[in-house]
Amino acid sequence: MNGYEGNRTLRGNHIAVRSEARSLTYSQLHDRASRLAQVLATEGLAEGHRIAIMMPNIVEFIECLAASAKLGCAALSVNFHLAPAELAYVLADSQASVLIAHTDLKEVVSAAEPTCTVIFIGDESSSGYEARLAAASAEPVHYLWPAPWPVIYTSGTTGRPKGVVHGALASAEVLAYSQNMMAQMWGYTEADIHLVAGPLYHGGPQGYANLTLFAGGTVVLMTKWDAREFCRLVEQHQVTTTFLTPAHFIRLLELPPQEFAEFDLTSLRHVLHAGAPCPVSVKLRMIEALPHAEIWEFYGMSEGGATRASPAQFEERPGTVGPPWPGVELQIIDPETQEVLPAGRAGLVYVKPAYGRFHYHQDEAKTEDAWLADSFTVGDIGYLDSEGWLYLTDRHVDLVIKGGVNIYPRQIEEVLHQHPEVVDCAVFGIPHERDGEHLHAVVELRAGQSQATPQQLQDFCVLHLDRWSCPDSFEIIEELPRDPNGKVLKRVLRQQAWSDAGRNI
């Protein structure tokens, strides 16, 4: 693989990135990123420093990533939905030297009162992004690194976000090795056209955009998610690869079959999905809807990748997220005794990464909690089969203890997804005076044709689950709350239900 510098030299006229508004070849990306790197250098940014990037999916986001690779500084992707107090915390905690933000976010940025330099895209003054690039020298700045080194703040379920820092990646050699390994593992090549369907501040959408640029392909940016627009862009640009989440699958499957069939999606050869457990029924329907594409699931997080499963592997063992990545090892640990559990026993999933350790920025306690010897956990519960393939059962934080019995809501959500009128759902525990917790299901039904009642949903669950594991109450709502990547915000629903209880467990 060529990396950013090699693609500039060998594939200069090839389109590197495009949006509805504009596109850049690899040569143009190199030129603009060189100018930006010089602007950042005048602000004191140097190797090992951090640049914060806060904007929607626009071409300038890629320019910022490329400039960070030229300077050898970390690219800190900031969720542009943050409130001022949250933004202030991330900027202060990360010690970012410069923030580049879209002018539409000026009110939020100003309210955060950042102490670092701020450059606004869309600001037409002499201090704005375009004016400063135009005033910078046209002298080329070569890439110190073959790809950007990302630092991503995880949203978490409680407490403040955590900045995940992969210190081992902060070198040209290790970055090149990791990107080459990923490109070979997924089969990404310079011929690929990759559609970014989720926000670039998320690890998955940004990671596979970076991988495509490392390989010399073309990245196509969606401004925001829309199922019809996704299909249109795949057809228009002959997209070959993409990264999606189960929420994206659900919305694609909600398109009327006749309308979905009108789009030519046959160019799509490789679909990666992660971000949340995918209901088996949804995954099987998606495999049927895209018979020409290989739909691979992987289990990973900002902290590191762990497993992957091909369509054939998934159909052979429904529900699996597959065997480990090359060089990765898995263990299932009892959270109470910290003993290694045998095949078939559920416990905390621990991952031994292929290279290096991460740490949470300026948080030794959280880092120490995550690691056990040379393996880490993010709190997911799962088990291994006899051949070492992983099955996820739930998040540790989502565990419901009902009358002293451990119940994992994901198995209930899997059942509800089989109901023909259910689009999506979330099951969690709510306070109960006698049993500690009871199970509550919040359900989004198919629009326009759904007649299912809470009692009918209860009866459906009874057919597939033991009664103790069935939800004790149901709530039907028009639309479940979601984050910008489409993931159901279960913690928001849980907080609403527990707000009057005076306790959290």
Side-chain angles (χ1 to χ4, degrees), residues 191-194 232-241 264-268:
D192 278 316
I193 301 171
H194 182 85
R232 187 188 72 80
L233 289 173
V234 170
E235 181 176 37
Q236 177 184 345
H237 298 293
Q238 292 295 284
V239 168
T240 60
T241 64
D264 181 2
L265 308 180
T266 54
S267 63
L268 199 57

Side-chain angles (χ1 to χ4, degrees), residues 36 44 89 98 122 129 181 199 212 221 226 263 267 276 283-284 323 333 351 362 382 390 409 417 441 449 473 475:
L36 177 56
Y89 164 76
V98 176
Y129 184 87
M181 183 272 287
T212 301
L221 302 176
D226 178 83
F263 292 103
S267 63
K283 176 71 171 285
L284 292 175
I333 303 294
V351 180
Q362 298 196 131
L390 179 64
H417 270 285
Q449 61 185 47
S473 56
E475 179 183 355

